[in-house]
Amino acid sequence: MPIRPGRVRSTLPVRSGPCRISARGRATGGGTIFARMASDPERSGSRPVASVARALALLDELGRAPEGLGVNELARRIAVNASTASRLLATLERGGMVERAPGGGPYRLGLGLVALADGVLARLDVRELARPRLRALAAATGETATLSVPGPVDAVTVDFVAAESSVVSVARLGRPSIGHATAVGKIVLAFAGGPPATGAELTAYTDRTIVDPETLGAEIEAVRERGWAEAAGEREPDLNALAAPVFGRAGELAAAVGLQGPAARLTAERRAEVLPALLDAAAGLQRALGG
């Protein structure tokens, strides 16, 4: 599969943790998409609106807590008082963006977000083209096959096919792939961004996460040379993964096809065995996209 330099810019993700809203309405901290959008006014060309930034921060926190969170905990996490958090949640609930069980209970993300996300995903023709290839890849390897596309900061999972195994690694739609800690993230750094500058702070998710910028730089250069990436227990201790780039017509990084599975099964030897199938799937999707 030909490897060509990408044209999509990417930056290394900020440190994971609860999002905070400053007095001027600027979000700081946080590890997922909403918080980072709110924290970067240069992306929109103007200072964010405080109430919108806070609402985004609430969605960000709920996105990282599938079991839900109460008003007081959410208020603490985004550094506002409980009454402010309650008003924001009430507004989001009326719009279907959040929901809670009848009679009270913790807030969770609402089904209204699904409709919004579907409108975005409907424009991604790459999903339709990739779906049969993901199915074939999962069937051939016995591991979960994923499709990710470059986002404003990280690559984001937009589709996956779970393996038919007794122990299954299930991907999460919309989950960002941390640049220095995932196979897909390394693909983005290699072909659409670049390693961080010396002195940049890298979050350690496990004891195997690469946290030294020079070491990461060498890893990203190796990814460019060989045309694929791997991560062994670097974001989650029991999860290993492989990923390969898919380039579009203009040579830009259009997507990344990945394989992930339990560390005990997707060993180094097994990764070498399934790598050709992964590369074939990525090459087929690239041809379908005209790349």
Side-chain angles (χ1 to χ4, degrees), residues 165-191:
S165 304
S166 57
V167 179
V168 178
S169 171
V170 179
R172 283 166 44 192
L173 294 181
R175 188 185 193 190
S177 298
I178 305 301
H180 66 289
T182 65
V184 169
K186 292 175 186 178
I187 290 294
V188 173
L189 291 181
F191 300 107

Side-chain angles (χ1 to χ4, degrees), residues 28-54:
T28 60
T32 51
I33 296 172
F34 289 129
R36 277 172 276 174
M37 287 172 57
S39 68
D40 192 353
E42 292 182 0
R43 290 189 182 277
S44 61
S46 61
R47 182 177 297 169
V49 177
S51 59
V52 176
R54 291 180 179 123

Side-chain angles (χ1 to χ4, degrees), residues 47 185 197 201 223 238 245:
R47 182 177 297 169
E201 183 178 1
V223 170
D238 59 349

Side-chain angles (χ1 to χ4, degrees), residues 121-146:
L121 295 177
R123 302 200 308 268
L124 301 177
D125 294 337
V126 65
R127 292 178 71 237
E128 182 177 351
L129 294 172
R131 187 68 180 181
R133 293 172 172 84
L134 295 181
R135 285 197 294 263
L137 182 59
T141 63
E143 304 297 348
T144 296
T146 65

Side-chain angles (χ1 to χ4, degrees), residues 119-275:
V120 175
L121 295 177
R123 302 200 308 268
L124 301 177
D125 294 337
V126 65
R127 292 178 71 237
E128 182 177 351
L129 294 172
R131 187 68 180 181
R133 293 172 172 84
L134 295 181
R135 285 197 294 263
L137 182 59
T141 63
E143 304 297 348
T144 296
T146 65
L147 176 71
S148 303
V149 297
V153 178
D154 306 306
V156 177
T157 301
V158 295
D159 202 2
F160 71 92
V161 173
E164 295 183 2
S165 304
S166 57
V167 179
V168 178
S169 171
V170 179
R172 283 166 44 192
L173 294 181
R175 188 185 193 190
S177 298
I178 305 301
H180 66 289
T182 65
V184 169
K186 292 175 186 178
I187 290 294
V188 173
L189 291 181
F191 300 107
T198 301
E201 183 178 1
L202 305 177
T203 299
Y205 295 92
T206 73
D207 59 5
R208 302 194 65 177
T209 305
I210 299 174
V211 294
D212 175 60
E214 292 186 3
T215 302
L216 180 60
E219 173 77 358
I220 297 309
E221 184 57 35
V223 170
R224 289 194 190 101
E225 291 179 0
R226 67 188 182 222
W228 55 272
E230 65 180 345
E234 296 172 38
R235 185 178 188 180
E236 300 172 18
D238 59 349
L239 183 69
N240 290 351
L242 291 166
V246 175
F247 298 101
R249 293 184 180 87
E252 79 285 3
L253 181 66
V257 176
L259 275 175
Q260 65 178 50
R265 188 172 66 216
L266 197 55
T267 61
E269 180 178 289
R270 181 59 180 157
R271 292 199 297 276
E273 293 174 354
V274 301
L275 178 60

Side-chain angles (χ1 to χ4, degrees), residues 34 59 95-99 109-122 127 173:
F34 289 129
L59 293 173
M97 300 298 103
V98 303
E99 61 187 23
L109 293 180
L111 294 177
L113 289 170
V114 176
L116 292 178
D118 189 62
V120 175
L121 295 177
R127 292 178 71 237
L173 294 181

